[in-house]
Amino acid sequence: LHSAEVMDTNFEVDCQEAVSKQLNHFLSMPTHLIPLIRQDGGQSFNVEMRPTDVMSVEPASPYRDLTFKRSGDTVSYLEVDKEGGLTSKNSLSLQRAPLGLLNCAARDAANIPFWPGGFDEQSKPIESGQAFPFDDLPGKEINESELLKPLRTEEELLEGPSFDFIGVSKAEGDDLAAKIEPDGSVDGSTGVNKVETFPVLTSKSKNVENRGKVSVDSKSYKWAVLDNTSTVNKEFKKEVPNPAKMWPFELDTFQKQAIMHIEKQENVFVAAHTSAGKTVVAEYAIALCMAHHTKALYTSPLKALSNQKFRDFRETFDKEKIGLLTGDVQIRTNAPCLIMTTEILRSMLYNGSDVIRDVEWVIFDEVHYINDAERGVVWEETLIMLPDHVGVVMLSATVPNALDFADWVGCTKKKPIYVVSTLKRPVPLEHFLYTGNSQKTSDELFQIIDERGQFCLPAYRSALEAKKERTSKFAASFGAKGSHRAANPKEEQNIWLSLVRKLQKMENLPVVVFTFSRKRCDSTSASLTSLDLTNGAEKSFIHSFFVKSTRKLKLEDNKLPQICNMLELLKRGIAVHHSGILPLLKEIVELLFQKGKVKLLFATETFAMGVNMPARTVVFDSISKHDGQQKRNLLPGEYIQMAGRAGRRGLDPTGTVIIMCKGEVPESSELNRMILGKPIKLESKFRVTYGMILSLSRVDTIRVEDMLKRSYAEVDSVRQIPQRKVELTEMTRQLNELTKNTNYPAYVDEYYSSLSRLFEMTLELQARVLDYQSVWKAMSPGRILLITTSSNKWHVGVLLQSFIKPLKKFLVLLLCEKGSEGLEKSAYSQLPAPVLAADTQWLPDVAVERPDPLSHTLVEVHTENVAGLLREVFSIDEKSIIQDFKQRQLPRFRENPPHSSVTKVVERLVSFVDDIDIRSLLLNPVQDLKLNKYEDVQMYQVMESLKLRVSSFAGKADKDFSIQFESAKKKAQLEESIANLNYQLSESSLQLSPDFQQREKVLKRLGYLSKRNVILHKGKVACNLNNHEVFLTELLHENTLRSFTVEETIALLASLVFQQAQTSEPSLTNNLEQGKEKMQKLATKLATIEVECGISITVDEYLREFHWGLTEVVYKWALKMPFSEIMKLTDVQEGVIVRCIHRLDEMCKDIRKAARVIGDVTLHDTMEQASTLIRRDIVFAGSLYLDD
């Protein structure tokens, strides 16, 4: 500065005062400011003096940033490259600008997801002002002590930095290439893997040095590691010296194994029985996140389970650190541990929620729910979309293919998954049959399986005898016809009273009774009016707790029949739990059950899921259930899940499981299969949805095909890719070598191609011909058939019998060589070989040779083996022929001569073969067999043309034809194999590829996607909807709901969320009927388009997805009718109505988001008003689990 030249040496006495004075002088004098020069004339101009302008200068945006390296506390920092201009609208990078603290849990469909872990490296987004790609530059680790060093002086800065701009010293930079390790890290103490920028967590380190301690089936699985470490108890304290969480009891082996892997930042799959203690593993992962100042996400399959876990974890951890995200409740969304349903997490992943940035672990509870036909796809999508830095802890019931599933997850995420499992139950189970029906027979309790899992056959026989004796007595008194009838209500009551009093006497209460019918739960509990299982103190506590829990309800709601009946039942220690019960009442029942006040609980299957609520005894009212399609016995996995609720850890030495035998005693084989059989395997239920296609269409770098090929359904194909690539390389080499070393006329290839096509079409037409009714009529016993076999030989046989189910096949008498009568059926029934021999005549002709020495046999052949029907029909005694042949297959009758009926047919068949031109007797498929389908007639005509073409090559053959033909055949086979391998390695071979293409075609036709797969405005609207995306978008786009009131609109929308098909007929107003007709008309239009685009659905099936049973109920509820009056309008139970209205409220929220995208303020206000109308009273009573 020029002012420094006039600085007086006296300033050195008081440096601070001098600098301040000179600075003020400099800033206040405009003559000292650098003049601004105009580009056109080069003249300066006066600037208004504003000293504050130069005192607040915006800093330049740095292109490097710092990220934390954490291990409990922050131990060091890492310089990383920073990309500029990245936002949630244009980048999948974790380095993009965050949305802000208040919006971190928001799920905005305008935001694109983060880059999923395990995908190939993403391409850079094409955007204005794209940052320079620093991705290939290594970061340099900076210790905290270095970061806190004093800043360098001006002279040091001018001389040159000790670090260059990419964070590597000059000396280090010269040798950088030599220091880079194969894994991408830099050799030396400062070398680390590249990580994402602050505040993003880095991806887990794959610590696999200790794999030698665990068994790995390397032949089958690359990514799944089975941990069967036997020294875990010794190693646990060494590996986990300072655990993030302690328990007042000794951990089981599998719990210690899982915790050790979590401490090493390794992903785990924990498979254990119900009530085995899997929650301990989840709690440790949460505690570790809290210690690391990161986040844990806990997902459950049901909203009710999320609420229950929220309450449990608030008691385990600091309640301020536990948050909840559901469709209608958001509590402490910035907490270190967030509990949610898996659908919520999927939505957060698709919409790039900033919560994901800080997530260290995601805990998937009840991951075996992936088997659910409707919702299983959610788990697959979520696992695929998780970013690389997120670890997974999967908790599941025991499954037989845990390793296979874990290997798929590991293959998808490119990380090893450690499988920890235990078959040991903390409380062993004993299984009984109960055949009693009164107090006199209440001792008929037979233990069929002991605590060691051994089936007790004598006890089973005793149960059979007891039941048989009572049935005999009943038949003697009332007749045999009534001995197997169902029990009447009085008899049913006596059965339950005898059993419960027996269990009470044995001190085996509390008991959970699993009944697979809501109606039967209610009726059985209501019939036990004489049963009282509580004392005075318990009754007082129950009454007080019930009144306190329902105090926020209106007086009229407190008088609802279901509430009054439940209170009376609870006072006697009895309760009911199923989906038809009001959510508030279910929570009261659950809390009282946990407190030991409910002694007898009638529940459906859903009670066995999730929350740990064990009982002393579990009773099965029946072992059969209706699964929505058919009535069947319980699967082993279903039985084990429910039976596992028996036995309270630390209280009961064993758990008691009782199967009621009201009718017949189940078969021993069925009991064995159900109780001791293997649980059902985890299977993919992945399917393509419109929501998935549209969500991924917002992003150029992630395609739907990328999701499809990473689904669990494609895991076997993915595993075969390396081998197929090897085979493809080898076959390509062989083809090139063959092409190079062989030389033959071009017509040989043409001949082989024509002959192969003729052969394939012949097989196809043979199968088609036998689908005609006229042909089946001609297939009468005695008809002479022309048969082909795998050896390309022709045979003439006599038809004896025809079979339609399960497969079409025919029993035929054929001539054979003597001594080969006992050939296996497969020798003749194999399909004709597709490989054509070189000595095949120019036109495949029929040349039937008579065997010598001659005999006969009976064989079963398939439709493809029947080359033709002949005009000749023999008169035969087919039953006598079949019976005689079967008898002569027995050793003692083998030397007997054939029956005269057989001899007669064989002699006539020999004569027929010797004297007749068989081709001239073949029935013409079109003229004689009356083929009338266009495609079949056309195929026959093409075949005739091919025969003429094949015959035309006859004059071109030379002496080397056989060798040339073999070369052409081998070449064609190699080309076909290469084409097949290329197809299998392509995305076209994906199982769901046709379904995806069909749905994509629908979206393009409706204007959701452009021809180049760019998402259009309607597609962006649909991305905000979680269900019925296309139908709702079309409904909004056509303004179908604009002419209806708010109450009518919400009532019509109820048809999309209500799922019960059979209900009482609602009474609809004229407007509602018109709305129903308009929605059905739109549905018919969309269904027709789907059918035209190839989707396998009918219009009727599409319309059956709409259920109008609660339309009147919702309409009246929106008109503020009391809930007690609502219940008089329908036979649908209270809990189902509440769930329907809750889902309607969530749909209203989705439509509000869509309205913002459309810009329709009226629609937004309508949906907001609709939510206000339905969110009231008992339907939206607060959850007891959320109360402090």
Side-chain angles (χ1 to χ4, degrees), residues 519-587:
K519 186 179 293 186
R520 202 157 67 241
C521 279
D522 296 334
S523 61
T524 305
S525 61
S527 68
L528 304 179
T529 53
S530 62
L531 189 63
D532 193 345
L533 303 173
T534 57
N535 55 37
E538 288 173 328
K539 292 182 192 298
S540 177
F541 178 87
I542 291 170
H543 182 83
S544 175
F545 182 85
F546 193 95
V547 170
K548 182 181 178 182
S549 300
T550 58
R551 68 185 184 279
K552 294 181 181 179
L553 298 181
K554 286 184 175 181
L555 181 61
E556 57 186 348
D557 288 338
N558 262 315
K559 294 180 179 179
L560 286 171
Q562 192 178 85
I563 292 180
C564 296
N565 294 338
M566 185 66 76
L567 177 57
E568 292 303 314
L569 285 173
L570 286 170
K571 286 182 179 181
R572 293 186 284 114
I574 307 171
V576 179
H577 188 287
H578 56 69
S579 60
I581 301 296
L582 288 164
L584 180 64
L585 291 184
K586 286 201 293 185
E587 291 179 353

Side-chain angles (χ1 to χ4, degrees), residues 451-687:
E451 60 187 64
R452 296 170 299 171
Q454 300 296 319
F455 193 87
C456 305
L457 192 57
Y460 175 77
R461 288 173 177 165
S462 299
L464 284 176
E465 289 298 323
K467 195 69 176 177
K468 183 178 180 181
E469 182 181 353
R470 186 171 309 107
T471 304
S472 300
K473 291 180 180 179
F474 189 95
S477 302
F478 301 99
K481 187 176 180 180
S483 60
H484 298 295
R485 65 179 177 80
N488 60 43
K490 183 62 177 177
E491 292 170 342
E492 184 91 4
Q493 180 188 39
N494 290 335
I495 292 173
W496 284 111
L497 288 174
S498 67
L499 175 61
V500 175
R501 285 169 180 160
K502 171 70 175 179
L503 294 175
Q504 188 178 23
K505 184 178 179 180
M506 296 169 58
E507 297 183 352
N508 268 33
L509 300 182
V511 56
V512 175
V513 178
F514 284 109
T515 303
F516 306 109
S517 164
R518 297 198 301 257
K519 186 179 293 186
R520 202 157 67 241
C521 279
D522 296 334
S523 61
T524 305
S525 61
S527 68
L528 304 179
T529 53
S530 62
L531 189 63
D532 193 345
L533 303 173
T534 57
N535 55 37
E538 288 173 328
K539 292 182 192 298
S540 177
F541 178 87
I542 291 170
H543 182 83
S544 175
F545 182 85
F546 193 95
V547 170
K548 182 181 178 182
S549 300
T550 58
R551 68 185 184 279
K552 294 181 181 179
L553 298 181
K554 286 184 175 181
L555 181 61
E556 57 186 348
D557 288 338
N558 262 315
K559 294 180 179 179
L560 286 171
Q562 192 178 85
I563 292 180
C564 296
N565 294 338
M566 185 66 76
L567 177 57
E568 292 303 314
L569 285 173
L570 286 170
K571 286 182 179 181
R572 293 186 284 114
I574 307 171
V576 179
H577 188 287
H578 56 69
S579 60
I581 301 296
L582 288 164
L584 180 64
L585 291 184
K586 286 201 293 185
E587 291 179 353
I588 293 174
V589 169
E590 291 162 1
L591 293 171
L592 287 174
F593 186 86
Q594 288 178 322
K595 296 177 185 296
K597 307 304 179 185
V598 174
K599 316 295 183 180
L600 176 61
L601 175 64
F602 292 91
T604 51
E605 193 173 355
T606 53
F607 184 79
M609 293 190 57
V611 177
N612 187 19
M613 291 187 184
R616 178 69 179 87
T617 304
V618 163
V619 175
F620 286 91
D621 174 57
S622 170
I623 62 169
S624 63
K625 59 176 278 189
H626 197 283
D627 60 5
Q629 296 179 346
Q630 61 180 348
K631 191 170 184 178
R632 58 168 176 80
N633 286 341
L634 295 176
L635 299 173
E638 295 169 336
Y639 179 86
I640 292 169
Q641 179 83 9
M642 289 179 274
R645 292 299 169 198
R648 297 163 297 178
R649 192 168 187 172
L651 295 176
D652 305 320
T654 60
T656 302
V657 183
I658 299 174
I659 298 173
M660 303 281 285
C661 300
K662 298 178 185 177
E664 295 291 325
V665 176
E667 293 288 339
S668 60
S669 58
E670 183 60 30
L671 292 172
N672 245 312
R673 181 201 64 83
M674 184 179 67
I675 302 174
L676 302 177
K678 287 185 178 181
I680 189 170
K681 296 194 303 182
L682 295 180
E683 295 179 347
S684 176
K685 295 298 185 289
F686 198 86
R687 67 180 191 279

Side-chain angles (χ1 to χ4, degrees), residues 162 297 445 450 547 564 570 1033 1116:
S162 58
L297 302 183
L445 193 62
D450 60 23
V547 170
C564 296
L570 286 170
T1033 302
K1116 296 295 185 180

Side-chain angles (χ1 to χ4, degrees), residues 1130-1149:
T1130 181
D1131 58 354
V1132 180
Q1133 291 184 309
E1134 293 88 336
V1136 178
I1137 294 175
V1138 170
R1139 186 167 65 254
C1140 172
I1141 296 177
H1142 272 260
R1143 293 185 64 188
L1144 261 180
D1145 183 55
E1146 294 176 13
M1147 181 175 284
C1148 288
K1149 292 179 182 178

